[in-house]
């Protein structure tokens, strides 16, 4: 007895099938043999033995189609440890017993747009990353021009991002990953450094030109290398240290002749560099199996609680006395609230897109993209705000960016070599390994 898992439609009205079996032997001349090229072994054939043919309808072709034929039962010829599936798409044969071939029955799913054009999708990620970053920096500075309260604005940035994460979790995009006491303990120092670096960056943005803050923040690789060498005990090659020399020289040149220079903006940007360096150190210690989207969401929630107390203590009295009222009097309550909302949304989205872009490309590509992003932000901020820069500041900024580019290229090449060595060793041991770059 054979059971058919999917219907098989026969178009010939008078043709009948008497039995269905598997055989590797030769078949009678009046049988129709179906050979499958995909999953059925060549030694096995699917044979249909027809009853004595009807002379009046012998010329009519027999056509049938379906997806799968599924066999099971007590017949010893059909008995298997598990059902045997034979995919069939369509076939046609005359009833004279000629041998015909079937096309593969595996329905290959059509590729989506992301699979067909991965380069376009990656390019779109880079474009949106740059676009949102530039828009955030410009809108953020415009808000500081009439509302110079960076501690409160930092809270707004994280508050809007946390609201976005909660809504995303509520609709299941992405699904919220559970968190326990141990993971909370690992993420707390990461969130503290994230909060400190974020607040200090905003203090610098409010005090000096956006282009100057980003020039100082170009020193972040120098602090990362110093922390790796002297805190973590990792040996930093001489080539990396030499590539950082242009960064230090360029930032020094830009700082000496920066027209908007003040110590508050400079020191705040430097503290931001140090905080983000320690954030990267603690992030490596807090590596878990949780996806990056959920990790960033939990980090933002914890960082929000660190940012609220200083905002209340440092800026709270001024905000209640005249801060809010002055801003509303200048631009109106609707524009004031909408500006705060959108800078928070842009801040969260560009950080999330930066993470998503890193997952799609190699470290080398992401390093180059990060350098170009800083160039875009500096260039657009100068054009939009009309900041006047001296020749020495321009040259120093260019030297610093070039140094960061050289450093990023060297470091990315080193990371890729380490990864290749690790993969090669893993392949010898039989491990599969998985890398999301």
């Amino acid at each position: 007895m054979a059971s058919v898992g999917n219907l098989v439609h026969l178009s010939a009205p008078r043709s009948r099938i008497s039995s269905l079996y598997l055989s590797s032997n030769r078949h009678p001349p009046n049988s129709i043999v179906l050979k499958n090229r995909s999953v059925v072994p060549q030694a096995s054939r699917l044979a249909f033995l027809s009853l004595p043919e009807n002379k009046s309808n012998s010329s009519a072709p027999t056509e049938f189609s379906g997806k799968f034929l599924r066999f099971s039962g007590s017949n010893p010829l059909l008995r298997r440890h598990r059902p045997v599936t034979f995919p069939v798409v369509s076939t046609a044969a005359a009833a004279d017993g000629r041998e015909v071939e079937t096309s593969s029955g595996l329905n290959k799913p059509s590729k989506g747009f992301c699979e067909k054009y991965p380069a376009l999708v990656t390019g779109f990620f880079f474009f949106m990353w740059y676009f949102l970053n530039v828009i955030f920096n410009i809108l953020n500075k415009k808000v500081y021009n009439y509302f110079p309260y960076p501690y409160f604005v930092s809270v707004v940035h994280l508050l809007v991002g946390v609201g976005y994460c909660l809504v995303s979790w509520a609709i299941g995009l992405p699904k919220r990953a559970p968190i326990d006491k141990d993971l909370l303990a690992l993420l707390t120092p990461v969130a503290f450094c994230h909060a400190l670096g974020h607040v200090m960056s905003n203090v610098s943005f409010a005090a000096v030109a956006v282009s100057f803050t980003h020039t100082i923040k170009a020193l972040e690789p120098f602090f990362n290398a110093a922390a790796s060498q002297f805190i973590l005990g990792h040996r930093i090659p001489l080539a990396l240290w030499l590539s950082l020399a242009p960064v230090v020289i360029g930032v020094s040149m830009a700082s000496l002749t920066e027209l908007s220079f003040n110590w508050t903006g400079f020191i705040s940007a430097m503290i931001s560099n140090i905080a983000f360096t320690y954030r990267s150190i603690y992030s490596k210690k807090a590596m878990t199996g949780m996806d990056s989207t959920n990790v960033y969401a939990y980090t933002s929630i914890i960082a929000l609680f660190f940012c609220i107390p200083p905002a209340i203590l440092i800026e709270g009295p001024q905000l209640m006395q005249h801060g809010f009222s002055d801003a509303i009097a200048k631009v109106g309550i609707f524009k004031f609230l909408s500006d705060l909302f959108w800078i928070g949304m842009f801040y969260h989205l560009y950080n999330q897109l930066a993470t998503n872009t890193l997952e799609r490309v190699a470290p080398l590509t992401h390093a180059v993209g990060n350098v170009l992003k800083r160039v875009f932000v500096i260039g657009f901020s100068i054009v939009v705000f009309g900041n006047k820069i001296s020749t020495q500041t321009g040259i120093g900024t260019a030297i610093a960016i070039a140094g960061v580019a050289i450093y990023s290229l060297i470091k990315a090449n080193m990371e890729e070599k380490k990864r290749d060595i690790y993969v090669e060793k893993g392949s010898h041991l039989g491990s599969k390994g998985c890398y999301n770059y």
Side-chain angles (χ1 to χ4, degrees), residues 200-263:
M200 290 296 101
S201 294
N202 280 286
V203 171
S204 181
F205 284 138
V208 296
V210 174
S211 57
F212 181 59
T213 299
H214 278 280
T215 302
I216 300 173
K217 287 175 70 65
L219 281 173
E220 189 174 330
F222 174 82
F223 288 97
N224 286 334
S228 298
Q229 177 87 47
F230 302 111
I231 297 177
L232 298 180
H234 298 163
R235 180 181 173 275
I236 302 299
L238 180 61
L240 274 182
W241 285 115
L242 293 177
S243 68
L244 289 171
V247 181
V248 177
I249 295 173
V251 171
S252 301
M253 289 178 59
S255 301
L256 290 175
T257 57
E258 170 61 36
L259 299 178
S260 66
F261 177 87
N262 63 57
W263 285 107

Side-chain angles (χ1 to χ4, degrees), residues 21 34 62 127 192 195 235 240 321 347 355 380 391 419 430:
Y21 64 90
L34 302 181
T62 300
F127 171 77
F192 174 78
R235 180 181 173 275
L240 274 182
Q321 290 178 3
Y347 171 78
T355 304
F380 273 97
T391 303
R419 183 196 64 180

Side-chain angles (χ1 to χ4, degrees), residues 120-136 345-357 373 377:
L120 286 179
V121 176
T122 302
F124 176 76
F125 270 79
F126 270 101
F127 171 77
M128 292 303 299
W129 176 24
Y130 287 13
F131 174 77
L132 292 175
N133 199 315
V134 169
I135 295 299
F136 163 74
M345 184 61 68
F346 287 139
Y347 171 78
H348 181 83
L349 290 179
Y350 98 73
N351 277 285
Q352 188 59 62
L353 271 176
T355 304
N356 296 338
T357 305
K373 177 212 72 175
V377 172

Side-chain angles (χ1 to χ4, degrees), residues 151 199 305-316:
Y151 289 88
V199 171
F305 288 99
F306 284 117
C307 290
I308 291 176
I312 296 175
L313 294 175
I314 298 174
E315 296 178 345

Side-chain angles (χ1 to χ4, degrees), residues 69-356:
L69 295 177
R70 201 173 188 82
F71 300 94
S72 62
S74 60
N75 191 326
L77 291 176
L78 295 174
R79 187 176 295 132
R80 296 288 186 272
H81 293 291
R82 54 190 176 89
V84 182
T85 301
F86 298 91
V88 178
V89 175
S90 62
T91 186
D96 57 359
R98 288 179 299 173
E99 195 174 86
V100 296
E101 294 184 357
T102 64
S103 60
S104 176
L106 295 179
N107 293 330
K108 296 180 180 179
S110 58
K111 291 184 177 180
F113 182 84
C114 295
E115 295 178 350
K116 287 183 179 179
Y117 309 102
L120 286 179
V121 176
T122 302
F124 176 76
F125 270 79
F126 270 101
F127 171 77
M128 292 303 299
W129 176 24
Y130 287 13
F131 174 77
L132 292 175
N133 199 315
V134 169
I135 295 299
F136 163 74
N137 280 274
I138 292 175
L139 184 58
N140 199 47
K141 184 61 178 178
K142 286 185 176 182
V143 169
Y144 286 136
N145 288 338
Y146 68 85
F147 187 70
Y149 298 95
Y151 289 88
F152 177 79
V153 172
S154 298
V155 171
V156 172
H157 290 165
L158 294 173
L159 182 63
V160 174
V162 168
Y164 177 89
C165 294
L166 295 178
V167 173
S168 299
W169 280 341
I171 62 177
L173 294 174
K175 185 178 179 180
R176 187 183 70 85
I179 187 171
D180 54 17
K181 187 188 304 182
D182 295 334
L183 184 57
L184 181 63
L186 288 174
L187 291 179
T188 298
V190 178
F192 174 78
C193 294
H194 179 71
L196 179 61
H198 177 54
V199 171
M200 290 296 101
S201 294
N202 280 286
V203 171
S204 181
F205 284 138
V208 296
V210 174
S211 57
F212 181 59
T213 299
H214 278 280
T215 302
I216 300 173
K217 287 175 70 65
L219 281 173
E220 189 174 330
F222 174 82
F223 288 97
N224 286 334
S228 298
Q229 177 87 47
F230 302 111
I231 297 177
L232 298 180
H234 298 163
R235 180 181 173 275
I236 302 299
L238 180 61
L240 274 182
W241 285 115
L242 293 177
S243 68
L244 289 171
V247 181
V248 177
I249 295 173
V251 171
S252 301
M253 289 178 59
S255 301
L256 290 175
T257 57
E258 170 61 36
L259 299 178
S260 66
F261 177 87
N262 63 57
W263 285 107
T264 300
F266 179 82
I267 295 175
S268 299
M270 296 293 284
I271 295 175
S272 172
N273 286 333
I274 298 173
F276 286 140
T277 296
Y278 276 93
R279 182 186 65 177
S280 65
I281 294 175
Y282 286 118
S283 295
K284 292 177 182 178
K285 295 181 180 180
M287 288 229 174
T288 64
M290 188 183 297
D291 62 283
S292 59
T293 302
N294 276 289
V295 169
Y296 184 69
Y298 282 120
T299 301
S300 298
I301 294 173
I302 302 171
L304 177 62
F305 288 99
F306 284 117
C307 290
I308 291 176
I312 296 175
L313 294 175
I314 298 174
E315 296 178 345
Q318 299 178 27
L319 288 171
M320 299 304 296
Q321 290 178 3
H322 55 80
F324 292 124
S325 58
D326 290 349
I328 294 173
K330 291 178 181 178
V331 298
I333 187 170
F334 178 78
K335 179 173 174 53
F336 175 57
L337 294 178
S338 63
D339 283 351
L340 291 178
F341 171 79
W342 283 116
I343 57 176
M345 184 61 68
F346 287 139
Y347 171 78
H348 181 83
L349 290 179
Y350 98 73
N351 277 285
Q352 188 59 62
L353 271 176
T355 304
N356 296 338

